[in-house]
Amino acid sequence: MTTRQRIAITPGDGIGPEVIGEAVRCLEALRERRQLALDWETFDWPSHRWHEQHGEVMPDDALDRLRAFDAILLGALGDPGPTSNPNRHLLPDSISLAPLLQMRKGFDQWVCERPARLLPGARQYLADDRAKDIDMLVIRENSEGEYVGQGGRLRPGSQDEVATQMEVFTRRATERIIRYGFEQARLRARRRAEEGHTRTFETLDGRTCESQVCIVTKRNALRYWGDMYTEAFETIAKEYPDVATHHELVDAACMKFVQAPWAFDVVVASNLQGDILTDLAAVLSGGMGVAPSCNLNPDNPDLPSMFEPTHGSAPDIAGEGLADPTAMLFTTARMLQWLGREDRALLQAGDALYDAVASDLADHGGERRDTKTIGDSVLGRLE
Ligand code: IPM
Ligand code: MN
């Protein structure tokens, strides 16, 4: 018997509840038609209101309650509050977005996967038509690095103020994220072979491989972690002779993402560098409106992974029914695939949702449509 998978849905702020609404409609349809072993519960914790009422952006025991679930589906976080009302204080991003980082850390979601594939119908920002071949997976180290939140401010506000912000890189987290990158490269090569469209990548010694991992650092200036990343990468690469390897400095990587993004396959980057690269990668593959993201804990099935689109809460268009739910729906598809690692029906439901969203995009990408129209179209394609 398959165990029922349980999802915690946190719609969050801004456009979050609207795009989540479309995700829930799709989940309902899939569950009913395919008899999925799937349940969900919604936690309505809009950060601004919660903060006003309780002085916190989410309940004290939020992480304890979320821990019991198999996955978290998150809409978007971030709400500066209504600027029109001077009596309501603004909630800075560093506070309203904190739950995101607390979940990533608290549930050891050490992988952040951000695929960037320019699908038919998606907006093509690059003029070069080879952009149609953009298909990369950026893997962001999600547990440490520049995001450890250690440091402080000494003598704040004074001319003698000192601010420190520490970066921490451990051998353990470095090795596991690099190994994850190589495994994904192999998997992608296998899938491409099954679908009959192989890609080729040259190695430095002139061999041809069907997948590639590019590691990103800034080792010419930040040499301590840069050197550790490089050494770990070279050692682990020996276990994967079938995968081509490549290194880019992060600034050059930005340039090459624009110049020749179709040359990348899997990219592994640190937390902050991966954050920056994935906004760029999102635009290269159609923009924030279509970019999915997920935060995974691949080795502890007792802790939930978290699925959220790369985009933010877009407070400027919140509540108007105008937000594009495409990224949220792609993210939901990825969640079902993840939950379906041991349940074929869930896996197939994830694939079906992905195909439905991609087919809607191919037919209607570029049209001005509201949230519900896009949701209706995707629902209609879930046969
Ligand atoms: C993201 C976001 C977050 C991050 C912010 C909101 C803290 O930019 O998910 O990419 O930097 O990780
Ligand atoms: Mn970001």
Side-chain angles (χ1 to χ4, degrees):
M1 213 189 89
T2 48
T3 41
R4 292 188 80 78
Q5 298 291 308
R6 297 176 64 234
I7 309 167
I9 297 185
T10 54
D13 303 322
I15 60 168
E18 295 160 62
V19 294
I20 280 271
E22 300 311 313
V24 169
R25 288 210 293 154
C26 290
L27 288 173
E28 276 164 355
L30 286 164
R31 179 169 69 178
E32 188 179 319
R33 289 177 211 168
R34 293 167 180 258
Q35 263 126 51
L36 300 178
L38 191 66
D39 295 304
W40 54 87
E41 193 177 329
T42 302
F43 297 90
D44 200 13
W45 298 326
S47 60
H48 195 271
R49 205 183 70 210
W50 203 271
H51 192 259
E52 265 193 347
Q53 292 170 356
H54 310 273
E56 299 282 342
V57 286
M58 63 178 188
D60 278 349
D61 62 349
L63 285 206
D64 287 335
R65 287 160 73 182
L66 296 174
R67 192 184 308 270
F69 290 82
D70 298 296
I72 301 162
L73 189 64
L74 188 143
L77 285 179
D79 185 353
T83 41
S84 53
N85 183 346
N87 295 324
R88 300 179 82 167
H89 62 279
L90 299 182
L91 196 55
D93 276 359
S94 57
I95 295 181
S96 65
L97 296 167
L100 210 52
L101 301 181
Q102 284 164 9
M103 285 184 218
R104 289 178 188 166
K105 289 213 177 82
F107 301 137
D108 198 17
Q109 296 159 349
W110 52 270
V111 179
C112 176
E113 269 187 18
R114 294 187 165 169
R117 179 175 186 180
L118 184 67
L119 292 169
R123 179 156 178 196
Q124 186 183 321
Y125 285 85
L126 289 185
D128 192 316
D129 241 22
R130 284 174 290 179
K132 297 206 160 51
D133 296 328
I134 295 172
D135 183 3
M136 60 172 138
L137 173 65
V138 184
I139 297 173
R140 165 181 178 188
E141 202 295 316
N142 220 23
S143 70
E144 54 170 37
E146 307 88 341
Y147 275 61
V148 290
Q150 289 184 29
R153 291 175 67 178
L154 195 62
R155 300 184 287 273
S158 78
Q159 285 305 303
D160 299 319
E161 177 163 1
V162 180
T164 52
Q165 188 89 47
M166 265 236 276
E167 300 188 4
V168 175
F169 294 83
T170 63
R171 170 69 73 165
R172 181 167 160 269
T174 302
E175 288 182 355
R176 70 182 177 182
I177 199 69
I178 290 172
R179 187 163 274 112
Y180 190 87
F182 277 102
E183 288 295 328
Q184 290 303 307
R186 264 192 185 157
L187 197 65
R188 284 163 63 84
R190 205 179 319 139
R191 281 198 199 128
R192 286 194 288 260
E194 279 166 16
E195 291 165 12
H197 65 99
T198 46
R199 289 172 69 186
T200 52
F201 302 88
E202 296 289 313
T203 64
L204 285 177
D205 54 4
R207 289 174 306 114
T208 302
C209 296
E210 292 180 357
S211 62
Q212 183 199 62
V213 178
C214 172
I215 187 100
V216 175
T217 71
K218 183 64 187 169
R219 68 187 180 198
N220 54 350
L222 308 177
R223 56 176 292 199
Y224 305 121
W225 75 261
D227 286 348
M228 184 173 72
Y229 258 56
T230 305
E231 281 167 32
F233 184 62
E234 284 168 0
T235 306
I236 293 168
K238 294 200 179 86
E239 298 169 33
Y240 299 87
D242 50 310
V243 180
T245 57
H246 190 63
H247 170 270
E248 289 292 350
L249 296 168
V250 66
D251 45 352
C254 288
M255 180 184 70
K256 290 181 188 171
F257 266 29
V258 173
Q259 207 172 39
W262 43 86
F264 291 89
D265 187 15
V266 171
V267 177
V268 176
S270 74
N271 212 332
L272 176 63
Q273 297 185 358
D275 175 46
I276 297 166
L277 284 170
T278 50
D279 268 26
L280 178 51
V283 166
L284 295 171
S285 55
M288 282 297 180
V290 298
S293 172
C294 56
N295 305 275
L296 308 175
N297 180 333
D299 39 33
N300 187 346
D302 293 334
L303 290 176
S305 291
M306 190 242 295
F307 298 78
E308 42 147 2
T310 305
H311 66 64
S313 57
D316 50 326
I317 57 161
E320 294 177 28
L322 295 176
D324 187 339
T326 302
M328 184 79 239
L329 296 174
F330 274 137
T331 300
T332 308
R334 178 71 183 100
M335 178 189 69
L336 290 172
Q337 290 165 339
W338 175 259
L339 292 174
R341 284 163 301 161
E342 278 158 27
D343 179 341
R344 224 178 139 64
L346 280 176
L347 182 68
Q348 287 171 341
D351 293 347
L353 181 55
Y354 179 91
D355 289 345
V357 184
S359 117
D360 167 68
L361 189 62
D363 289 346
H364 298 288
E367 290 171 24
R368 257 190 116 72
R369 292 179 301 158
D370 57 25
T371 313
K372 187 152 180 309
T373 307
I374 300 176
D376 285 343
S377 164
V378 171
L379 267 177
R381 287 158 204 262
L382 287 172
E383 46 15 334

